[in-house]
Amino acid sequence: MKLRGLVLAALVFIAAHTACAQSWPTRPVRFVVPFPPGGTTDILARLVGQKLSESWGQQFVIDNRPGAGGNVGADIVAKATPDGYTILMGTPGTQAINQYIYKVMPYDTVKDFAPVSMVALVANVIAVYPGLPAKNLQDLIALAKAAPGTINFGTPGNGTTGHLSTELLKSMTGINLVHIPYKGSAFVLQDVMAGRIQMMLDNLPSALPHIQGGALRALAVTTDKRWFALPDVPTVAESGVPGYEASSWFCVMAPAKTPPEIVAKLSGEIDRLLKTADLRQRFNDVGAEPVGGKPEQLGATIASEMVKWKKVVEVSGARIE
């Protein structure tokens, strides 16, 4: 009788758990962006969050929590109640890079998160102040070699793909550039366009309108092939640095132990939305390539990206105490 009672209780729990997952979301969902407003992470989260709000009639509220290369916002999600009401727009920094460059991490990249869905692939772009006498990447490299340590480059922060991509460029070309870490893309853009620093390397969506408007000069993209949004801009490899590649990606993560039914429901809807003509066009307009896919596919991608970025960190020698 005691065993029968335990089995019955377990069945009741499972039924209630499943019903809860099926009805999710019944209240607003906190969508944490670990960087300030205006950057690529924020732009993509707002596009996806708006569509998810429309799908389920519950607000996906963007909560910008910048700091420590994304670690502050990611840690909030890692320690949140795993009920589907707190999710993260993850980046290579929060999910793959930071664990290798920060001496102390507040969360475990693997154990503390449940992968939900890959959202987008994005090129990084090397762009400069138009007044800098560099029409292409080889000009920039020549300037840097002629006057080592005089060219400053800005990135959205330590540990971002912009930071590591530039460190990789430095190591492969032997140039000496000075890193100026900011607290987000918007601040970098302001200073490069004003000529206060000479160069930036960041995700394309935040810089694209300024490149198109002439406030920035794009020298190269960091992908292995030319990017659809800037077809006339060569890759770094094409520009005389063979073997160079350092693109970026964005994904939705949930706290570990979030019910699999909720993860699957959210993943499926994101995948569906990213295949719609409207959202695909919106992504393309900002220079991002929508991806989608299942949680296990994202998990496998993150695992391979950890291997890749660990090697980049080792080559670049980047470390943050």
Side-chain angles (χ1 to χ4, degrees):
M1 290 296 291
K2 184 175 181 181
L3 178 60
R4 183 182 299 175
L6 290 173
V7 171
L8 180 60
L11 291 174
V12 169
F13 174 80
I14 292 171
H17 189 74
T18 301
C20 180
Q22 289 175 344
S23 64
W24 176 93
T26 59
R27 54 186 172 86
V29 176
R30 183 187 190 189
F31 198 170
V32 176
V33 173
F35 292 95
T40 301
T41 318
D42 181 71
I43 292 169
L44 297 180
R46 290 180 188 277
L47 288 174
V48 173
Q50 177 188 350
K51 290 298 183 180
L52 289 171
S53 297
E54 294 171 3
S55 292
W56 287 318
Q58 294 291 343
Q59 288 297 310
F60 279 68
V61 182
I62 303 300
D63 185 6
N64 297 92
R65 292 302 183 98
N71 282 351
V72 171
D75 188 48
I76 288 171
V77 178
K79 293 178 171 57
T81 302
D83 56 7
Y85 289 97
T86 304
I87 58 175
L88 173 75
M89 181 61 90
T91 69
T94 62
Q95 308 310 132
I97 297 173
N98 290 357
Q99 62 183 321
Y100 301 122
I101 66 172
Y102 280 86
K103 186 175 182 179
V104 178
M105 283 288 288
Y107 59 86
D108 187 293
T109 304
V110 176
K111 295 179 181 178
D112 291 341
F113 292 98
V116 176
S117 179
M118 182 65 80
V119 171
L121 298 178
V122 170
N124 288 332
V125 62
I126 298 173
V128 297
Y129 171 61
L132 189 73
K135 302 299 183 183
N136 53 53
L137 184 59
Q138 282 303 315
D139 286 349
L140 179 68
I141 292 171
L143 284 174
K145 287 186 175 180
T150 61
I151 295 178
N152 298 325
F153 73 95
T155 72
N158 288 313
T160 57
T161 54
H163 175 202
L164 268 293
S165 297
T166 313
E167 294 295 340
L168 180 62
L169 178 68
K170 289 167 58 179
S171 68
M172 292 179 71
T173 58
I175 58 177
N176 180 8
L177 304 171
V178 180
H179 182 210
I180 310 295
Y182 288 77
K183 294 182 179 180
S185 298
F187 304 105
V188 183
L189 288 164
Q190 290 172 8
D191 277 6
V192 178
M193 290 188 291
R196 286 187 283 270
I197 61 174
Q198 298 91 350
M199 168 190 166
M200 63 176 288
L201 200 158
D202 193 11
N203 306 140
L204 178 58
S206 58
L208 183 59
H210 306 290
I211 292 170
Q212 293 171 330
L216 291 172
R217 178 186 299 133
L219 301 186
V221 292
T222 64
T223 42
D224 58 349
K225 298 178 181 178
R226 293 197 182 198
W227 199 247
F228 68 90
L230 291 174
D232 296 328
V233 176
T235 66
V236 173
E238 284 181 288
S239 302
V241 191
Y244 182 100
E245 188 277 327
S247 54
S248 193
W249 44 267
F250 298 84
C251 62
V252 173
M253 307 293 289
K257 300 182 181 179
T258 297
E261 298 87 353
I262 291 178
V263 170
K265 186 175 182 179
L266 179 57
S267 176
E269 185 61 11
I270 292 172
D271 185 66
R272 184 190 74 79
L273 289 169
L274 290 173
K275 291 176 181 175
T276 62
D278 178 52
L279 195 55
R280 291 189 70 86
Q281 187 60 54
R282 292 192 183 195
F283 270 49
N284 288 166
D285 287 345
V286 299
E289 180 183 322
V291 180
K294 298 182 180 298
E296 52 269 28
Q297 292 172 309
L298 173 57
T301 297
I302 291 175
S304 65
E305 286 287 297
M306 286 181 183
V307 174
K308 165 189 166 181
W309 286 107
K310 183 180 181 181
K311 291 179 180 178
V312 172
V313 170
E314 290 172 349
V315 168
S316 70
R319 290 289 187 277
I320 300 171
E321 293 297 324

